[in-house]
Amino acid sequence: MEDHVHPGEVAVDALVLGTAGLIGLFSPDLMVASAASAPLASATIKAGIERLASRRRHRQEYVFDFAARVAKIGVEELQRRCENDERLEELLLLVLDAAGETAMREKLVAYGLALGEGVATSDADYWQSALVRAVRDLGPEHLALLDRFTWTTNKLGLGDGTSGDFDIVPIQLADGQVEMVARDIPALSSALAMLQRHGLLMHQFAAGGATLGGGPGPLGSWKLTEFGRQVHDLLRELGSRLEGSSTDS
């Protein structure tokens, strides 16, 4: 009888073989050494990949189950509704894909909330999809940068140190101020661009602009959008609650 090989095993074997080939391209001597230990290496790599795949599935199942509880329905009903509504199915696929890419609990909860709300209202709108896409791309540096736009002028180092009218949260920060208060953020320009792309930050140019003769470029400022504030507050609130629940348990 012919043995049936699971497609996942074929994929893992191909990946292992491809890795060995790359090693050979970089170092022929290393290729000879790796050939001797190939069976052991293959087994180790396959076990590691399978373990990671299992953890990915576990996170996706967690989000799926959490979304059903948010919508106050069973998982079978959640699946049925998503299959019968292409907008909900698109949201489901987006959520499951994002859930498999992270281990951050606050992100997983945010994904479950977005899917559960969409299914409960039978109206998967752009806000929920935009939330999932934005949260998926947020790293610690992006959250730290968003934080700066919720700090007071004194905390940012822009005030006079008093607790009077100067100690307020600025409506917006000039380009130079952002560079000053976020100099610790790695790849600041990239972080700003990502937040702007998802509509979390807005950049506005001042009147005027660069001269045709090559004078100074236009000055601008950054501000936190309403969507940016919602995403920031949601993740910070979830993080605080999850940290509190871990401490209590």
Side-chain angles (χ1 to χ4, degrees), residues 205-222:
F205 286 109
T211 63
L212 293 177
L219 298 178
S221 61
W222 293 89

Side-chain angles (χ1 to χ4, degrees), residues 174-198:
D175 292 335
Q177 291 176 320
V178 172
E179 292 177 4
M180 182 176 67
V181 303
R183 59 170 62 96
D184 60 313
I185 303 295
L188 178 59
S189 60
S190 175
L192 286 168
M194 197 284 288
L195 294 174
Q196 183 183 27
R197 182 173 69 252
H198 284 294

Side-chain angles (χ1 to χ4, degrees), residues 65-147:
D65 178 69
F66 183 70
R69 285 186 282 146
V70 170
K72 298 180 180 179
I73 57 176
V75 292
E76 295 84 2
E77 176 64 13
L78 177 69
Q79 180 178 349
R80 187 191 68 79
R81 293 189 188 184
C82 289
E83 290 175 346
N84 292 336
D85 187 325
E86 62 181 18
R87 293 176 304 169
L88 289 176
E89 187 170 14
E90 283 292 322
L91 178 61
L92 171 63
L93 293 174
L94 176 63
V95 163
L96 293 181
D97 186 54
E101 296 176 351
T102 185
M104 290 181 61
R105 293 185 301 164
E106 50 265 52
K107 284 191 176 187
L108 296 174
V109 173
Y111 298 151
L113 289 172
L115 178 59
E117 180 184 338
V119 172
T121 59
S122 297
D123 183 25
D125 57 25
Y126 291 115
W127 191 93
Q128 292 147 355
S129 297
L131 171 67
V132 175
R133 289 191 175 94
V135 170
R136 179 179 59 187
D137 285 349
L138 285 178
E141 71 278 14
H142 302 112
L143 275 176
L145 182 53
L146 285 178
D147 276 340

Side-chain angles (χ1 to χ4, degrees), residues 52-64 108:
L52 290 174
S54 176
R55 292 173 65 85
R56 176 186 173 91
R57 286 193 299 270
H58 177 73
R59 292 193 293 267
Q60 291 171 329
E61 291 168 359
Y62 168 83
V63 169
F64 195 85
L108 296 174

